Amino acid sequence: MTWHLQPGNEIKRTQLHELYGGGRQGGIAGSRSTPNVLLFTDPDSGEQHGYADGWVDDDLFRYTGEGQRGDQEFKRGNKAILEHREEGKALRLFRGSSGTVT
């Protein structure tokens, strides 16, 4: 499926997954049905759980990844981010973690 969303568009997370795949829970949702890795960040709730995501500048977003204690490992979602280019997938960043995301 061709990607139709533009930066700033809002969509229900359930609808997003129906269109583009990926797990419906968690912050990293690699899709098996489309060439996308969906990332979800929610600064309001993330910081209290140790996730300090945010824009460093206009071109660089710091994403914490999966894992709250110790060094993160390149498994599951973190591995999907690491290998997205060699897998031919795009990273798609959304603000919000449930309900409507932007």
Side-chain angles (χ1 to χ4, degrees), residues 15 19 24 48 67 73 81 88 91 94-95:
Q15 182 183 11
L19 292 170
R24 294 174 184 254
Q48 65 187 356
E73 298 178 13
I81 292 172
L91 292 179
F94 293 87
R95 186 175 55 244

Side-chain angles (χ1 to χ4, degrees), residues 86-99:
E86 60 192 59
E87 298 285 328
K89 296 187 174 192
L91 292 179
R92 309 288 187 177
L93 177 64
F94 293 87
R95 186 175 55 244
S97 57
S98 63

Side-chain angles (χ1 to χ4, degrees), residues 18-53:
E18 288 171 10
L19 292 170
Y20 299 107
R24 294 174 184 254
Q25 295 182 351
I28 304 170
S31 176
R32 293 184 183 156
S33 60
T34 66
N36 298 290
V37 177
L38 310 176
L39 306 176
F40 300 90
T41 182
D42 189 345
D44 294 334
S45 65
E47 279 192 40
Q48 65 187 356
H49 298 288
Y51 296 102
D53 302 341

Side-chain angles (χ1 to χ4, degrees), residues 5 11 14 18 20 29 36 48 53 59 62 64 69-71 75-76 82 85 90 96-100:
L5 297 172
I11 187 170
T14 54
E18 288 171 10
Y20 299 107
N36 298 290
Q48 65 187 356
D53 302 341
D59 297 328
R62 180 180 28 231
T64 305
R69 293 183 185 89
D71 293 335
K75 297 184 201 177
R76 298 177 304 276
L82 176 67
R85 281 193 178 141
S97 57
S98 63
T100 300

